[in-house]
Structure formats: C-alpha cells, structure tokens
Amino acid sequence: MSRPVPNPGILDIAPYTPGKSPVAEPGRKVFKLSANETPFGPSPKAIEAFKHVADHLEDYPEGTSRVLREAIGRSFGLDPNRIICGAGSDEILNLLAHTYLGQGDEAISTTHGFLVYPIATMAVGAKNVVAREANLTCDVDAILKAVTPRTKLVWLANPNNPTGTYVPFDEVKRLRAGLPSHVLLVLDAAYCDYVSRNDYEMGIELVATTENTVVTHTFSKIHGLAALRIGWMFGPEHIIDAVNRIRGPFNVSTPAMYAAVAAIEDTAHQAMSKQFTETWRNWLTEEIGKLGLKVTPSVANFVLIHFPTEGKTADAADAYLTKRGLVLRALKNYGLPHSLRMTIGTEEANRLVVEALRDFMAGK
C-alpha cells in the first residue's frame, strides 16, 4: 500500500525536545527550571494589554504587526520598515532558512548551538555544518574555516544557549568581515537583555551598516511572554522584503502584539529582572562551585553545571533533584551528557537547588 513520503532528509532530523515540565504531586512544591522562563512573569502592563483586546477576538490581527514594529523602533532607535515580527523568533529563523537555503546549500552552526538551527537548515534540504567551539564558546576562526563555496548562511546565538557564553562584538565584526558577502549572518540575540559586559553588543550596528546581516530577538525571555510566541528581526530592507513574501499574513496574534508593546515599554520591569538575574547568577556560580562542581561562566538567565563522568553523574543528579521537586534541563541532545542547565529561578528555588546539590554530593 502506498502512502505519502516525506521529502528527502526530513526523517534524518532529530525533533526538538523541550525542557521537561514538572509533574505535580500532593504535598510537594515543584520548581520548573528547565526552560529559561523568567520567575517574575510578564509586566503587569503587558497582562492588562492582553486582557484589553479580549472583547475583539473575532477580528483578524493587523497583518504587518505595525504597532509592535513601531514600538520596537522607538525602543531601539530603528526604522520600523526594517523590522519583521513572527510567532517567536523560531518562526523567523525558519523563514530565513526557507528564503535563503535550498538543496545542496550549507549553513554553519556551532557545536552546542541552539537546536532549531539544524532543524531549520535540514528541513529545506540544506546541510548543517558544525564548527567546533573553544571552551564552550563560539570560535570565529573555526567558523571561517568551515566555509565552502556551498555556504549560504551562518547561525550565531550570542549569548549562546545552552552554554551561556558570548562572543565580544569585535569578534562578531571579525566574523562578518571574514565571511563572503553572499553569506547571510544571523545573530540570534534572545538573551541579550541579561548581558552587562562592556564588550558585548546585540548586533544592531552591524545590521545597520551591512547588506548581509540580521539580528533576531524574542519576547519569551526577559519580557516573560513565552506563551504568546512572539519575536522579531531587524535586517536590511531587501531581506525584510524577501522574508515578508513567504511570511503568513496573520502570524502574530493581536493579544500578543499589544502585550509585547506594553512589555517593551515597561523598562522598570526589565531592569528589575536583569538586576535580580545578575545577582543570583553570580551567587549560584559561586555556591555551586564550592561543592566541587564546575559552572561555565554565563551572561544569560541560566547556568551550565558540569558533573563527573562517573559516580555523581548528571543523570544521577537530575533524578535526585527531580525527586526533590527541582526540574533542570538534561542536555544529551546538545552533546553535553555530563551537564545540566539550570534556569535562574526565584530566591527560594535557587537556594533549594544549592541545598539539594550539597546533599547529593555528600551522598545524603
């Protein structure tokens, strides 16, 4: 019996596996620290804006996300005509792959880069080329060495998920200068709002001064709107025009648009979240390090914890923590089987994780 057959290469793609959600049990408080969600939720102003449009859900959204593009433009000093919005930045990444990659092309990502990159690449029949990292950080020279005549696109998460590391802006500019002009550089800045380093920039300057660079961002992290699936991209006019030709006409819902506008305008909520994250990121790095576990220096809202390959392993720690209601992210699918990623949570959750890890390492 015949049946539809997927396009070549589709069944070779490993499906995206999200962080596991906790299973509530009577009498036990559970903390989900596996998905890099903010512990504060969205701005109250975003919640109010979301509710305000509830009486008009029968109406289609404005098809170009104009009010949101204008709000982003005001916030970052950008031309709204060079902004495109999507159902999360994930949708935009896939739209870029569909626009600029095809059979026989190659796209480069790094060893522990975001898993959506190879999925988007392979879904259109292109080849995902992996450039090695140095100390869990993007290596510009390795990326440039991986370029071939077939290379059409480079994916770069900066900061990177799941490692939490970043590339200084001078290195990003060196990467752009070393790539052929026809190669599109995609700067994924999902976690940029948490970075306080003087040598970091999300990439807007590079986009504004080149014809072959874009930067993507999301409202899922510091803005706390992950459930609404909304992201955006700033790029050259010719790239925005091309992507808009295949973008769905109503890909961003009206509640998401207005909640995002309110969120981006609530700078006090963002500043509070950033300061809290920085304080507890430093505390967790120090306290977990005291237990004899290595923590990769992070600039994002999570930390990467490394465990021994035998004995007190990541698998054993994951099971132990889960039993205590603390759900972290296992990283086998990222090629990091001996590590767990922990989202920075509430003060209570952060202290409980350190306490549990202390007990785990002590064999209690």
Side-chain angles (χ1 to χ4, degrees), residues 190-211:
Y191 296 92
C192 69
D193 301 296
Y194 297 105
V195 186
S196 298
R197 304 296 177 88
N198 291 333
D199 59 353
Y200 174 84
E201 291 185 29
M202 67 184 294
I204 283 175
E205 173 194 322
L206 200 57
V207 177
T209 56
T210 65
E211 292 291 311

Side-chain angles (χ1 to χ4, degrees), residues 98-181:
H98 278 276
T99 305
Y100 291 100
L101 295 173
Q103 290 283 343
D105 293 335
E106 295 177 355
I108 299 172
S109 58
T110 64
T111 309
H112 305 296
F114 187 33
L115 289 178
V116 166
Y117 305 152
I119 293 174
T121 298
M122 297 171 68
V124 295
K127 179 182 178 181
N128 178 57
V129 176
V130 178
R132 63 170 178 78
E133 296 176 355
N135 298 319
L136 300 177
T137 305
C138 162
D139 185 329
V140 168
D141 291 320
I143 292 177
L144 294 176
K145 188 176 180 180
V147 173
T148 75
R150 295 179 180 270
T151 305
K152 295 293 180 61
L153 187 151
V154 172
W155 307 105
L156 178 62
N158 197 30
N160 186 54
N161 170 31
T163 63
T165 56
Y166 78 103
V167 182
F169 190 50
D170 282 348
E171 281 293 276
V172 176
K173 289 190 289 187
R174 187 168 73 86
L175 172 61
R176 176 65 273 173
L179 291 171
S181 61

Side-chain angles (χ1 to χ4, degrees), residues 1-22:
M1 181 176 65
S2 64
R3 61 182 184 182
V5 177
N7 287 332
I10 294 295
L11 297 183
D12 295 328
I13 299 173
Y16 183 85
T17 305
K20 63 182 178 182
S21 296

Side-chain angles (χ1 to χ4, degrees), residues 7-347:
N7 287 332
I10 294 295
L11 297 183
D12 295 328
I13 299 173
Y16 183 85
T17 305
K20 63 182 178 182
S21 296
V23 178
E25 295 182 7
R28 187 184 76 172
K29 194 171 183 178
V30 177
F31 296 89
K32 181 186 177 188
L33 305 170
S34 60
N36 298 340
E37 298 154 338
T38 173
F40 299 109
S43 159
K45 296 177 181 178
I47 296 173
E48 182 61 30
F50 178 87
K51 293 177 178 178
H52 185 70
V53 300
D55 292 337
H56 300 281
L57 299 185
E58 73 279 9
D59 297 332
Y60 280 104
E62 189 278 315
T64 71
S65 305
R66 177 184 55 81
V67 294
L68 178 54
R69 289 187 294 107
E70 291 175 350
I72 295 168
R74 290 192 299 271
S75 179
F76 288 89
L78 306 177
D79 179 358
N81 292 321
R82 294 180 60 179
I83 297 170
I84 188 171
C85 297
S89 54
D90 293 356
E91 184 196 22
I92 296 172
L93 300 176
N94 279 280
L95 288 172
L96 287 169
H98 278 276
T99 305
Y100 291 100
L101 295 173
Q103 290 283 343
D105 293 335
E106 295 177 355
I108 299 172
S109 58
T110 64
T111 309
H112 305 296
F114 187 33
L115 289 178
V116 166
Y117 305 152
I119 293 174
T121 298
M122 297 171 68
V124 295
K127 179 182 178 181
N128 178 57
V129 176
V130 178
R132 63 170 178 78
E133 296 176 355
N135 298 319
L136 300 177
T137 305
C138 162
D139 185 329
V140 168
D141 291 320
I143 292 177
L144 294 176
K145 188 176 180 180
V147 173
T148 75
R150 295 179 180 270
T151 305
K152 295 293 180 61
L153 187 151
V154 172
W155 307 105
L156 178 62
N158 197 30
N160 186 54
N161 170 31
T163 63
T165 56
Y166 78 103
V167 182
F169 190 50
D170 282 348
E171 281 293 276
V172 176
K173 289 190 289 187
R174 187 168 73 86
L175 172 61
R176 176 65 273 173
L179 291 171
S181 61
H182 70 274
V183 173
L184 176 62
L185 175 59
V186 180
L187 302 175
D188 180 353
Y191 296 92
C192 69
D193 301 296
Y194 297 105
V195 186
S196 298
R197 304 296 177 88
N198 291 333
D199 59 353
Y200 174 84
E201 291 185 29
M202 67 184 294
I204 283 175
E205 173 194 322
L206 200 57
V207 177
T209 56
T210 65
E211 292 291 311
N212 44 21
T213 311
V214 298
V215 62
T216 66
H217 200 12
T218 180
F219 283 88
S220 296
K221 306 306 176 187
I222 203 166
H223 297 296
L225 298 177
L228 295 186
R229 309 309 305 126
I230 186 161
W232 59 277
M233 176 178 75
F234 175 59
E237 290 182 6
H238 68 96
I239 291 179
I240 298 299
D241 174 65
V243 175
N244 264 326
R245 292 168 186 267
I246 64 169
R247 176 184 61 82
F250 306 112
N251 62 326
V252 177
S253 73
T254 302
M257 272 193 279
Y258 282 95
V261 169
I264 203 169
E265 292 177 348
D266 191 348
T267 55
H269 187 81
Q270 297 166 49
M272 175 275 297
S273 181
K274 180 178 181 179
Q275 182 57 57
F276 177 93
T277 300
E278 187 167 338
T279 298
W280 285 97
R281 183 174 64 212
N282 293 339
W283 184 86
L284 285 164
T285 301
E286 182 178 352
E287 294 299 316
I288 295 172
K290 291 177 182 177
L291 305 178
L293 297 169
K294 179 183 176 183
V295 180
T296 296
S298 172
V299 297
N301 69 330
F302 56 87
V303 292
L304 183 64
I305 309 167
H306 304 276
F307 293 83
T309 57
E310 296 180 359
K312 303 295 183 180
T313 64
D315 281 345
D318 191 26
Y320 186 90
L321 291 167
T322 300
K323 287 182 180 178
R324 290 177 64 153
L326 302 164
V327 181
L328 276 61
R329 176 71 181 265
L331 297 169
K332 289 185 177 68
N333 54 346
Y334 274 100
L336 294 165
H338 307 301
S339 304
L340 296 177
R341 189 193 68 194
M342 174 192 170
T343 305
I344 296 164
T346 61
E347 177 177 349

